[in-house]
Amino acid sequence: MKRILTRSISYFLFWTLFFEVCRTFFLLYQHSKTATLTASEIGKVLWYGLRMDLSFAAYLSVIPFLLFLNEVAFRKKVLLKLVHVFTYALLPLLVLLVTIDLELYSAWGFRLDSTPLQYLNTPAEMLASTASAPVWLLVLFYIVLLVIGVVGYTFLKHKWGVSPKRSSKQLAADLLLSFFLLALLVLPIRGGWQQIPLNQSDVYFSQKNFANHAGVNVPWNVMHSVIKKNHNTKNPYQYLDEQKAQTLVQELYQPKSDTIPTVLRVKKPNVLFIILESYTAKLIGALGGPSEVTPNFNALAKEGILFQNIYAAGDRSEKGMVALLSGYPVQTTTSIIKTPKKTERLPQLAAELKKLGYGTYYYYGGELAFANIKSYLINGQYDKLLEKSDFGSENYNSKWGVHDHILFDKVLADHQNPKEPFLTTVFTLSSHEPYDVPIPAKFPGTDEETQFKNSFYYTDWALGRFISAAKKMPWWQNTLVVLVADHGHHFPGRDQNDAPSKFRIPLLIAGGALAVKDTVITTIGSQTDVVPTLLQQLGLPTHHFAWSKNLLDAKATPFAFYVFNDGFGMVSPQGVVTFDNVAQRPILREPGVTDQQVEQGKAYMQTSFGDFLKK
């Protein structure tokens, strides 16, 4: 009986202690964030995280405990060997998840879950996202963790042996104990006796998000996320009575002005819709950033209408794409673009302009298969999609595809004598990780933040070069240029995942078709508002863009809503509130934020996700 207890308990504790070691490695790797925690908070991270470690250790112990039970009954050594094979096979996989999480947390601001699985069909692009990671350091961490696991388990298993012969009465008692220990695993798996099983909120204890995140067990989180997504047919954001939630959201979009002044010189202008990768407002001089990073954007802002307070709806490219081109809200832990049968039901700018006889074209220097973007664009009825494979291999000078100046040169070459009117959408990529640029660095330094800054400057250089050439084209005077980002960035400053400054982006309307110049609009708005604002200038109906308002309507309700991983932000003139759905409490609530604004944010989260589920 002692042998059974020792073997089972030691196996369970092995995994528990191993996960605590993994958490310690996470705290070491994220040392700059860990330094913001007190010794007491670090202790609480380990203590609160222990509950989740116990849970996943119990999950991993189910099969070995079954094998232990059978070994007691049949006294076969091979059953113990199967436990060893099971454990040695799991260790490299689990250590890989833990190691990947070390770097992805730095980039994404949340612990590893099933999100990367959405990009497995485009592994090259997924790897390019982490090209700036300290690979050798991560390899070292991987090896050290794996060695700790293997050595620890090897030492442990040597203390086990095959069960000795015993009487029928002793065998019955041993079998009963083995079965009891197996059944007992249910308790740590569900996190205790409480009615609701363990979830992420059970490790949350602090107002500091990093402290809460550090308590999460990564393998448990990945498993939970996969299961949750595969069976998520109910709205997890049921904060309010459904009717009340609908009413609160409808109040945000009530029509305000009967007429909107036109800002166009022509009725059916060409539209150049340029989406700038990771273009955060923090680095744009015209929006309060350093003037030397975006001199061309700053100059162009004097020639058009600059919107000062625009926020990205999400934090990934494919999410920003849907918000910009369909005026549709972003989902938190998933994305509608992953489900073509849902995107078929979304309105799109290209489809609307095609009804007016526009030629519609989409240019991207990378692969459109990434994140299922291609199916979304095809649903949008673009006449022509141009991507990486349409460029000569000699131009593949970026890990994503081709650099921005080559992409812009291709647009110019294809628009020497275009059929008008046209909608041409251009999506840049050089300011994405790994931030490699084909021109000499403008700013000295090799740290990641400086590399990002240099890539930002390069995209601005390529944009200025393109605009200068476009102004010489005969179609320029009939063309409206829309410049907007797909999402913001945590650089500079390494913003928290929920920070409003991470989501603030540029929106600039310029071009020869514009009748207004050197104008600044201070209305708070979102990516979801861009297309309806444009369509109303063209005299087109916008009622099917239900999640949008006109940014040129001075009486429209000024607000922006954005989401991050399992949470939302709501920006208004009164201030910003960000809300964590796991902890079920605000992360940030500025002094002027009213209870009404918090309720509206919850209502928006609830109704927009509900609408997504119904698509």
Side-chain angles (χ1 to χ4, degrees):
M1 187 171 289
K2 181 180 178 181
R3 181 190 302 269
I4 295 169
L5 284 170
T6 301
R7 186 166 58 190
S8 299
I9 293 173
S10 64
Y11 187 86
F12 175 72
L13 290 179
F14 160 73
W15 282 118
T16 303
L17 292 174
F18 180 72
F19 292 137
E20 285 285 284
V21 171
C22 291
R23 181 170 292 103
T24 302
F25 270 60
F26 176 79
L27 291 169
L28 289 172
Y29 191 86
Q30 302 292 340
H31 57 88
S32 61
K33 293 184 176 68
T34 303
T36 66
L37 305 180
T38 65
S40 173
E41 287 171 328
I42 292 173
K44 287 181 179 179
V45 166
L46 298 173
W47 175 251
Y48 279 83
L50 178 62
R51 191 176 177 191
M52 197 171 280
D53 294 340
L54 291 169
S55 176
F56 202 69
Y59 275 113
L60 297 181
S61 298
V62 171
I63 291 176
F65 276 35
L66 277 170
L67 293 170
F68 290 156
L69 174 63
N70 281 276
E71 193 280 329
V72 169
F74 302 109
R75 299 180 57 246
K76 297 292 185 181
K77 191 174 183 179
V78 68
L79 295 169
L80 293 181
K81 289 184 176 179
L82 287 175
V83 175
H84 305 333
V85 171
F86 173 81
T87 305
Y88 285 133
L90 272 179
L91 274 169
L93 175 61
L94 296 179
V95 173
L96 180 63
L97 292 177
V98 169
T99 307
I100 290 171
D101 171 74
L102 294 176
E103 182 60 26
L104 283 185
Y105 184 82
S106 299
W108 291 1
F110 59 87
R111 302 305 296 272
L112 183 68
D113 57 16
S114 67
T115 300
L117 299 178
Q118 302 173 16
Y119 306 100
L120 288 181
N121 62 330
T122 51
E125 285 74 11
M126 186 170 67
L127 290 174
S129 295
T130 58
S132 59
V135 176
W136 290 112
L137 179 60
L138 291 170
V139 169
L140 176 62
F141 270 58
Y142 178 86
I143 293 172
V144 172
L145 269 175
L146 186 58
V147 167
I148 290 173
V150 170
V151 170
Y153 180 72
T154 303
F155 172 78
L156 183 72
K157 71 173 187 174
H158 284 319
K159 297 183 178 295
W160 301 346
V162 178
S163 299
K165 288 184 179 180
R166 54 244 190 259
S167 66
S168 298
K169 186 176 180 180
Q170 289 174 323
L171 176 60
D174 287 350
L175 286 173
L176 185 62
L177 176 61
S178 296
F179 183 80
F180 173 75
L181 291 173
L182 176 62
L184 196 62
L185 290 176
V186 173
L187 190 61
I189 280 175
R190 68 187 312 280
W193 294 109
Q194 75 285 347
Q195 184 176 0
I196 300 174
L198 178 75
N199 58 54
Q200 293 99 323
S201 64
D202 289 309
V203 303
Y204 278 41
F205 67 91
S206 174
Q207 293 297 321
K208 298 177 182 178
N209 258 2
F210 173 71
N212 297 326
H213 293 165
V216 172
N217 178 293
V218 166
W220 185 97
N221 202 49
V222 172
M223 178 195 70
H224 178 76
S225 179
V226 170
I227 294 172
K228 181 180 176 182
K229 281 183 171 58
N230 286 344
H231 299 89
N232 191 10
T233 57
K234 294 185 178 180
N235 191 339
Y237 307 112
Q238 290 291 151
Y239 300 113
L240 308 168
D241 171 76
E242 189 62 34
Q243 185 57 50
K244 180 180 180 181
Q246 292 283 351
T247 301
L248 286 170
V249 172
Q250 288 170 7
E251 288 175 358
L252 293 169
Y253 289 120
Q254 289 297 319
K256 298 298 189 295
S257 299
D258 295 331
T259 59
I260 306 297
T262 182
V263 296
L264 301 178
R265 292 177 46 254
V266 295
K267 291 184 178 180
K268 288 177 64 175
N270 305 310
V271 179
L272 263 175
F273 200 102
I274 301 175
I275 304 172
L276 301 164
E277 170 67 52
S278 303
Y279 245 56
T280 172
K282 292 180 290 184
L283 283 180
I284 295 176
L287 293 173
S291 60
E292 68 274 13
V293 182
T294 56
N296 294 292
F297 187 100
N298 300 343
L300 195 60
K302 296 291 185 181
E303 301 176 18
I305 303 174
L306 178 67
F307 296 81
Q308 278 192 334
N309 293 301
I310 303 300
Y311 292 82
D315 54 6
R316 305 291 298 172
S317 296
E318 74 278 7
K319 296 183 177 186
M321 190 81 61
V322 175
L324 285 170
L325 301 180
S326 293
Y328 195 72
V330 168
Q331 298 74 52
T332 55
T333 56
T334 185
S335 175
I336 194 171
I337 206 169
K338 301 294 179 185
T339 315
K341 67 179 182 180
K342 290 181 180 285
T343 58
E344 288 174 4
R345 303 174 185 177
L346 294 179
Q348 280 200 46
L349 174 62
E352 296 302 309
L353 294 188
K354 198 167 183 179
K355 296 174 186 177
L356 288 184
Y358 277 69
T360 53
Y361 315 100
Y362 190 98
Y363 288 77
Y364 179 51
E367 295 185 11
L368 289 176
F370 179 65
N372 215 29
I373 291 174
K374 189 172 185 178
S375 68
Y376 168 70
L377 297 175
I378 290 173
N379 287 337
Q381 302 178 39
Y382 276 92
D383 294 327
K384 179 181 178 181
L385 301 177
L386 185 140
E387 57 178 321
K388 180 180 177 179
S389 59
D390 295 296
F391 293 86
S393 58
E394 68 278 7
N395 292 316
Y396 293 174
N397 54 0
S398 167
K399 291 187 178 181
W400 282 99
V402 299
H403 273 303
D404 294 345
H405 78 278
I406 296 173
L407 177 68
F408 282 131
D409 285 349
K410 178 64 173 173
V411 175
L412 286 170
D414 290 352
H415 287 68
Q416 293 298 310
N417 188 28
K419 178 184 176 182
E420 300 184 62
F422 61 78
L423 163 68
T424 296
T425 305
V426 184
F427 185 16
T428 69
L429 58 71
S430 295
S431 45
H432 194 291
E433 293 171 296
Y435 314 129
D436 55 333
V437 296
I439 63 173
K442 169 72 172 177
F443 308 102
T446 58
D447 61 283
E448 191 178 1
E449 186 166 325
T450 303
Q451 290 179 42
F452 173 62
K453 190 175 177 181
N454 278 313
S455 71
F456 213 91
Y457 174 82
Y458 160 71
T459 294
D460 181 79
W461 170 83
L463 175 65
R465 185 171 168 268
F466 170 72
I467 294 294
S468 179
K471 286 180 177 180
K472 299 173 184 176
M473 296 292 180
W475 44 261
W476 175 259
Q477 290 304 316
N478 295 322
T479 299
L480 190 67
V481 180
V482 179
L483 290 167
V484 65
D486 61 336
H487 54 78
H489 206 279
H490 62 280
F491 285 144
R494 286 195 178 274
D495 283 334
Q496 281 195 172
N497 198 38
D498 66 298
S501 53
K502 178 186 172 185
F503 290 83
R504 185 168 168 250
I505 60 171
L507 171 61
L508 171 62
I509 299 177
L514 196 64
V516 180
K517 296 183 183 298
D518 199 10
T519 300
V520 175
I521 304 293
T522 59
T523 299
I524 297 172
S526 167
Q527 285 176 323
T528 58
D529 302 325
V530 176
V531 166
T533 300
L534 176 60
L535 292 180
Q536 287 193 11
Q537 285 296 308
L538 300 178
L540 296 177
T542 61
H543 60 273
H544 43 308
F545 292 87
W547 299 90
S548 310
K549 63 180 180 292
N550 192 324
L551 293 170
L552 294 173
D553 183 352
K555 296 182 180 180
T557 301
F559 82 97
F561 179 90
Y562 62 80
V563 301
F564 46 92
N565 197 59
D566 231 346
F568 69 82
M570 185 79 166
V571 186
S572 80
Q574 286 71 46
V576 181
V577 60
T578 62
F579 190 89
D580 188 333
N581 184 61
V582 176
Q584 288 289 302
R585 64 169 180 252
I587 303 168
L588 165 71
R589 181 173 178 174
E590 293 182 345
V593 171
T594 62
D595 291 342
Q596 171 82 352
Q597 182 174 331
V598 177
E599 292 288 279
Q600 284 177 326
K602 290 180 177 180
Y604 202 104
M605 181 76 132
Q606 176 177 325
T607 56
S608 63
F609 199 87
D611 188 79
F612 157 74
L613 291 175
K614 294 173 186 175
K615 288 291 184 192

